[in-house]
Amino acid sequence: MQRSSYTGIYHLRFGAAALADNLLACLDAYGDIVTRPHLPQDGFDSSKDSALQSLSGLDDDPRSKLSVILRRAYFGDPLGRNTMGDTGDLKELTLEKVKAHY
């Protein structure tokens, strides 16, 4: 299975590409990902670093940065929140906080 995921404003999107015979196994795998995440510390740290880098990359992409600003101004909180998060919040995020929230 080749899988992908996306965090949007209104929903999470999960995708997969696999042979039709493997459909049930793919659904089982996604069931595990959603209901029983492993949340390892080393994976958390690298994901957090990646999120911070992506967020700082908005400064190099004026169109995307403007989209974030306009969405925040138009929709307000919570719908106008940046799906990439906030730098301050991401820096303070810990694996323990994620597990407690989950």
Side-chain angles (χ1 to χ4, degrees):
M1 171 175 75
Q2 182 178 3
R3 65 181 188 87
S4 63
S5 59
Y6 169 78
T7 303
I9 295 172
Y10 303 107
H11 60 274
L12 296 172
R13 181 178 68 200
F14 298 102
L19 297 174
D21 293 343
N22 295 333
L23 177 62
L24 292 179
C26 292
L27 292 176
D28 285 342
Y30 266 123
D32 285 341
I33 289 169
V34 172
T35 61
R36 292 184 295 278
H38 293 280
L39 301 174
Q41 183 67 47
D42 59 339
F44 175 81
D45 292 335
S46 61
S47 294
K48 180 178 168 180
D49 290 341
S50 177
L52 286 166
Q53 288 175 1
S54 294
L55 193 55
S56 68
L58 281 177
D59 291 332
D60 298 328
D61 185 1
R63 185 178 68 172
S64 294
K65 187 172 185 175
L66 180 60
S67 176
V68 168
I69 293 168
L70 290 174
R71 188 169 44 243
R72 184 181 319 131
Y74 184 78
F75 290 110
D77 194 45
L79 294 179
R81 291 180 189 164
N82 183 359
T83 58
M84 296 171 70
D86 176 82
T87 302
D89 292 338
L90 284 171
K91 286 182 178 179
E92 293 180 15
L93 192 63
T94 64
L95 181 59
E96 291 73 27
K97 288 180 180 179
V98 171
K99 287 181 178 181
H101 178 76
Y102 183 80

